[in-house]
Amino acid sequence: MKPIIGIMPLYDRKKESIWMLPGYVELIETNGGIPMILPLTDNFETLDYFLETCQGFLFTGGQDISPELYGTEKLVVCGETHQVRDTMEIYCMEKALEEDTPILGICRGAQLLNVVTGGTLYQDLPTERPTEINHQMKPPYDKGQHEVQLVEGTMLADILDQSTLSVNSYHHQGIKDVGEKLTVTAISEDGLVEGIYLDENQFVLGVQWHPEFFASDTRENQRLLQMFLAHCY
């Protein structure tokens, strides 16, 4: 039986609709899992069904996380937030961590993992942490924008079996103070944390870049997703 992986939905405020990038689904399906897109809801009873049904969860990119959740006043430079999505994803992530259900967080998903474990975020990198690297690249997004250094002996370096990785970059927020018990596994050329994992669980990993914009069968995506899915049985 293939593992069922719950994928957190994306939300379009202008259209008042949920949607999904095909790349997230393809990452799961191409590499041996069954993707299941969750509804956007803060009804915990509904979410409990998916927490009982899914063997792993993919936390996607999207809106900024409400700064109140990491004890900071919201700045003008903070982008759009979504209370229902924050409530839903924090509930699902906390429950998944408690049950040791595998988690892969991408962009917002990595930032959420950091917040849930007690870390903080830069609300806007250009104003709070200016750098020569442009972390909001223009499309197409299936190309490298900068390199990250993979920390030797950590989960991601072991999975990919390499020391550096060329990544795309489409985010204006980033990890500031690293959450409790998290280990940094990737650092960008300007020193920004771009990869984290929780060693005490079987598979809890967050990356700041967007694997879903690259082909799902690239060497890096295959290694990452197959290791994730291998822990979901």
Side-chain angles (χ1 to χ4, degrees):
M1 295 290 293
K2 296 181 178 180
I4 299 172
I5 307 301
I7 303 178
M8 298 297 149
L10 306 176
Y11 179 75
D12 187 321
R13 186 180 296 276
K14 290 183 179 179
K15 296 181 179 179
E16 297 184 346
S17 63
I18 64 170
W19 64 291
M20 182 52 57
L21 284 166
Y24 287 120
V25 174
E26 291 167 4
L27 283 175
I28 301 301
E29 196 168 27
T30 300
N31 290 292
I34 298 175
M36 177 182 287
I37 302 170
L38 272 64
L40 182 67
T41 179
D42 55 5
N43 183 314
F44 293 162
E45 184 176 353
T46 299
L47 295 173
D48 284 343
Y49 168 82
F50 294 96
L51 286 163
E52 295 170 2
T53 302
C54 298
Q55 285 81 54
F57 289 95
L58 172 57
F59 287 81
T60 55
Q63 283 87 359
D64 290 352
I65 297 166
S66 299
E68 293 84 0
L69 296 172
Y70 49 94
T72 305
E73 183 179 350
K74 186 175 183 179
L75 304 176
V76 175
V77 291
C78 185
E80 176 186 305
T81 59
H82 193 285
Q83 183 179 353
V84 172
R85 187 172 182 190
D86 284 345
T87 301
M88 166 187 175
E89 293 189 357
I90 286 175
Y91 180 78
C92 288
M93 184 171 283
E94 288 180 341
K95 289 292 185 180
L97 290 174
E98 289 175 9
E99 297 297 325
D100 200 12
T101 303
I103 291 171
L104 176 60
I106 293 176
C107 194
R108 170 190 159 92
Q111 295 170 9
L112 186 76
L113 173 60
N114 192 58
V115 170
V116 165
T117 54
T120 64
L121 304 177
Y122 293 107
Q123 293 187 44
D124 182 65
L125 292 173
T127 56
E128 294 188 278
R129 194 184 186 280
T131 175
E132 293 182 357
I133 293 180
N134 178 14
H135 287 282
Q136 285 187 289
M137 66 187 291
K138 295 181 179 180
Y141 301 119
D142 60 345
K143 60 182 180 180
Q145 175 75 351
H146 64 81
E147 287 196 343
V148 294
Q149 182 74 32
L150 304 181
V151 181
E152 184 178 358
T154 61
M155 177 183 281
L156 196 58
D158 291 345
I159 291 172
L160 299 181
D161 192 25
Q162 59 195 77
S163 60
T164 60
L165 179 66
S166 180
V167 299
N168 54 12
S169 192
Y170 188 60
H171 60 105
H172 84 107
Q173 296 199 316
I175 293 172
K176 186 178 182 181
D177 302 306
V178 178
E180 185 180 356
K181 298 183 180 180
L182 290 178
T183 299
V184 175
T185 191
I187 304 172
S188 69
E189 296 168 282
D190 58 3
L192 187 68
V193 173
E194 296 228 353
I196 50 176
Y197 76 103
L198 187 62
D199 191 44
E200 64 183 28
N201 286 50
Q202 59 170 324
F203 191 102
V204 176
L205 176 68
V207 297
Q208 183 60 69
W209 57 93
H210 288 269
E212 76 276 10
F213 285 120
F214 294 101
S216 57
D217 59 355
T218 62
R219 172 189 175 276
E220 292 81 8
N221 277 346
Q222 282 186 331
R223 282 177 172 258
L224 176 60
L225 269 296
Q226 289 174 7
M227 183 62 72
F228 168 53
L229 294 172
H231 286 83
C232 296
Y233 287 92

